[in-house]
Amino acid sequence: MFDADVLVVGGGPTGLVLASELRLWGLRPLVLEKAAEPSGHSRALGLHVRSIEVMDQRGLLDRFLARGRQYRVGGFFAGLGTSWPEGLDTAHSYVLGIPQNITEELLDEHAREVGVELWRGRELVGFEQDEEGVTAVLADGTRLRARWLVGCDGGRSTVRALTGIGFPGEPARHETLIAEVRIGVPWEEVVPVVAEVRRTQTRYGVMPLGDGLYRVVVPAAGLSEDRSAPTLDELKERLTAVGGTDFGVHEPRWLSRFGDATRQAERYREGRVLLAGDAAHIHPPTGGQGLNLGVQDAFNLGWKLAGEVLGWAPDGLLDTYHSERHPVGAAVLDNTRAQMELMSAEPGARAVRRLLAELMEFDEVNRFLIGKLTAVDLRYDCGEGHELLGRRLKDVPLKEGRLYEAARDGRGLLLDRTGSLAVTGWEDRVRRVTGAGAEPDVPAALLRPDGHVVWVGDDPAGLRDGLERWFGAPSAG
């Protein structure tokens, strides 16, 4: 007897997106969150293009747009670049500024709407797995049985530690203080100070959050031994040391510190246990990629794990979660390493930074680097052939509605211009859509539930091969 199909450990953005994806397939996920209440704090401050597309593909984007602010400005890669690039392959060419606590609130709302069960204040302390499932033990002695368990429980993941999966990488070399506070001087006095300091120190800033609160970031004096939260006095001292003033900061709502440790799990799966989000990778927050990377992990994993539980997944489908997402995580670790070097105050790094700043004035360079940050340039290995294979399609008009509107039930899509193709036997996993507009300029394309193209053409035999490879055998009858 199973208490849930999947235990999702961690109720942050990654866990909430994963659980909601599983519910689209009729599964019973149970989310276990250690914290009794949402923290209300916001380490992350926005969604990049691919995550914005994910929200649109599931019908959530209007909620996010209503609570956020769209930006088309430069500076997202190591603070370089004076403008947003033209020609990004997306219908959503902007960054959405929205605090993490609002993102979590909206994802929690959606998860509950689709029937996800969320237990707050419940800590996982152990588990055992066998050939049929996983038995989890909570801190209060509760034992739960599930078919699968996914650790979405952050950089200090209990799930990862219990599986014994290695977490190699580099320890922190620098530490940064971060706080949400009120300030005691007019904003007009803050702006010139920040502008002057950031000419040589990019890990420094003050940003208005609304309601009289400000996000303050400043380098710490060194590495702390216990990673405990800084005091208000420490924050004031560092602001004065770096910028000559503490801006009269007071009434802190949140004080924290973060390092630039860079680590990645050796593997994302151990038997019936998987890792996603910060449990699988940690890196400096440069470029604002952490939350987005976790959301996209969950989007890749959800339909594959659902297929495994429901029994239609072809052999090896679930293993493509690691083979596709591990390289993506590694690439993000690399680009954050590069950004941290570019943000150094050392003379050599400053010289390279000046050179790259000149190169970013070329739109091709700007577009290439922002494409990395926003994941619009991502291509999975889905076989040889058409240039679209492995890429996700941007939102395009259909005869009725839009592509992303057609994707909202979480199934795969066959975009058929020929009028002669069919998905007979796969109707429970793939929907056929006709009446495509000018894009993409192909006879037909088969899309996975995460929007990536896995077949292009007009040959029924080739389509069948694609369906079987990614969606398993056809249903009987």
Side-chain angles (χ1 to χ4, degrees):
M1 179 66 181
F2 292 98
D3 299 290
D5 292 314
V6 180
L7 290 178
V8 178
V9 183
T14 302
L16 292 170
V17 169
L18 176 61
S20 298
E21 288 295 290
L22 295 171
R23 278 298 300 150
L24 287 180
W25 292 89
L27 300 186
R28 295 182 302 126
L30 173 58
V31 179
L32 303 174
E33 170 52 50
K34 180 179 178 180
E37 298 292 338
S39 70
H41 305 143
S42 298
R43 285 187 177 272
L45 290 175
L47 297 180
H48 282 313
V49 173
R50 183 59 189 134
S51 297
I52 293 168
E53 291 180 338
V54 166
M55 300 310 162
D56 195 8
Q57 285 176 262
R58 295 301 180 257
L60 303 177
L61 184 55
D62 286 347
R63 307 183 194 191
F64 282 83
L65 293 178
R67 303 287 294 275
R69 182 176 178 182
Q70 298 179 37
Y71 294 96
R72 286 175 52 88
V73 296
F76 287 100
F77 188 89
L80 295 169
T82 59
S83 62
W84 183 257
E86 298 298 327
L88 281 184
D89 182 36
T90 180
H92 299 286
S93 188
Y94 55 88
V95 169
L96 184 65
I98 185 168
Q100 181 173 336
N101 64 307
I102 301 300
T103 293
E104 292 185 1
E105 175 190 327
L106 294 175
L107 291 176
D108 181 280
E109 176 183 87
H110 171 64
R112 294 179 186 277
E113 287 173 356
V114 297
V116 171
E117 190 173 0
L118 172 61
W119 290 7
R120 289 198 172 273
R122 310 300 288 274
E123 180 181 2
L124 177 85
V125 295
F127 63 80
E128 295 178 350
Q129 59 173 311
D130 53 51
E131 292 183 358
E132 295 184 353
V134 181
T135 301
V137 182
L138 308 189
D140 61 5
T142 301
R143 298 177 69 87
L144 297 170
R145 182 76 171 156
R147 301 178 191 276
W148 292 83
L149 184 147
V150 185
C152 305
D153 51 340
R156 301 180 185 181
S157 170
T158 298
V159 173
R160 187 187 64 243
L162 290 172
T163 60
I165 294 175
F167 202 43
E170 303 92 49
R173 297 182 301 163
H174 306 95
E175 198 166 81
T176 305
L177 307 185
I178 183 171
E180 293 178 5
V181 295
R182 299 187 185 278
I183 61 176
V185 299
W187 175 244
E188 292 75 17
E189 295 182 18
V190 175
V191 174
V193 174
V194 172
E196 178 62 26
V197 174
R198 283 184 62 84
R199 292 175 62 184
T200 56
Q201 177 52 264
T202 53
R203 290 188 296 124
Y204 176 92
V206 181
M207 176 187 297
L209 298 175
D211 297 326
L213 286 169
Y214 292 80
R215 165 69 59 87
V216 175
V217 178
V218 64
L223 295 175
S224 61
E225 294 184 1
D226 58 3
R227 295 289 304 277
S228 60
T231 64
L232 181 60
D233 285 342
E234 182 182 357
L235 178 68
K236 288 182 174 182
E237 177 185 335
R238 292 306 301 156
L239 286 170
T240 302
V242 175
T245 175
D246 64 11
F247 302 115
V249 294
H250 62 285
E251 294 184 40
R253 188 174 76 168
W254 175 51
L255 293 159
S256 186
R257 66 178 82 235
F258 63 85
D260 60 349
T262 305
R263 299 184 181 277
Q264 185 176 26
E266 292 177 330
R267 57 192 181 279
Y268 286 8
R269 177 185 176 188
E270 179 65 32
R272 289 183 169 268
V273 179
L274 300 114
L275 303 175
D278 288 352
H281 38 68
I282 60 170
H283 52 83
T286 47
Q289 298 168 90
L291 182 152
N292 291 274
L293 185 59
V295 165
Q296 293 158 34
D297 283 346
F299 205 58
N300 181 285
L301 174 60
W303 68 279
K304 297 173 181 178
L305 185 53
E308 191 72 25
V309 174
L310 293 171
W312 56 256
D315 290 343
L317 178 65
L318 189 56
D319 291 332
T320 67
Y321 169 60
H322 171 90
S323 65
E324 291 180 349
R325 294 305 296 175
H326 194 276
V328 173
V332 170
L333 265 60
D334 270 355
N335 85 53
T336 55
R337 287 185 181 104
Q339 290 183 75
M340 288 301 294
E341 292 299 321
L342 288 166
M343 296 170 75
S344 169
E346 294 296 320
R350 302 298 300 174
V352 175
R353 181 179 178 85
R354 288 191 294 271
L355 175 61
L356 187 56
E358 293 181 16
L359 292 176
M360 294 235 358
E361 293 302 313
F362 292 95
D363 198 59
E364 294 86 352
V365 176
N366 194 10
R367 185 166 58 247
F368 174 77
L369 291 175
I370 297 303
K372 279 186 171 295
L373 289 189
T374 60
V376 297
D377 67 348
L378 178 61
R379 183 175 189 173
Y380 295 135
D381 182 6
C382 294
E384 299 294 327
H386 197 280
E387 63 179 11
L388 287 178
L389 287 177
R391 298 190 180 279
R392 97 280 177 267
L393 283 187
K394 67 180 179 182
D395 191 27
V396 295
L398 303 175
K399 185 176 181 180
E400 296 183 5
R402 303 182 286 116
L403 175 64
Y404 284 6
E405 290 174 338
R408 290 179 177 173
D409 64 357
R411 274 38 179 184
L413 293 174
L414 172 63
L415 298 183
D416 180 20
R417 272 205 183 91
T418 71
S420 61
L421 298 172
V423 292
T424 306
W426 287 274
E427 293 95 337
D428 58 331
R429 287 153 274 173
V430 181
R431 294 177 53 224
R432 176 173 172 263
V433 177
T434 60
E439 297 183 85
D441 186 17
V442 294
L446 178 64
L447 280 62
R448 309 188 316 190
D450 59 0
H452 285 260
V453 178
V454 294
W455 173 82
V456 173
D458 57 8
D459 174 29
L463 172 60
R464 184 179 183 88
D465 289 343
L467 288 165
E468 290 181 343
R469 177 181 175 185
W470 294 101
F471 296 96
S475 301

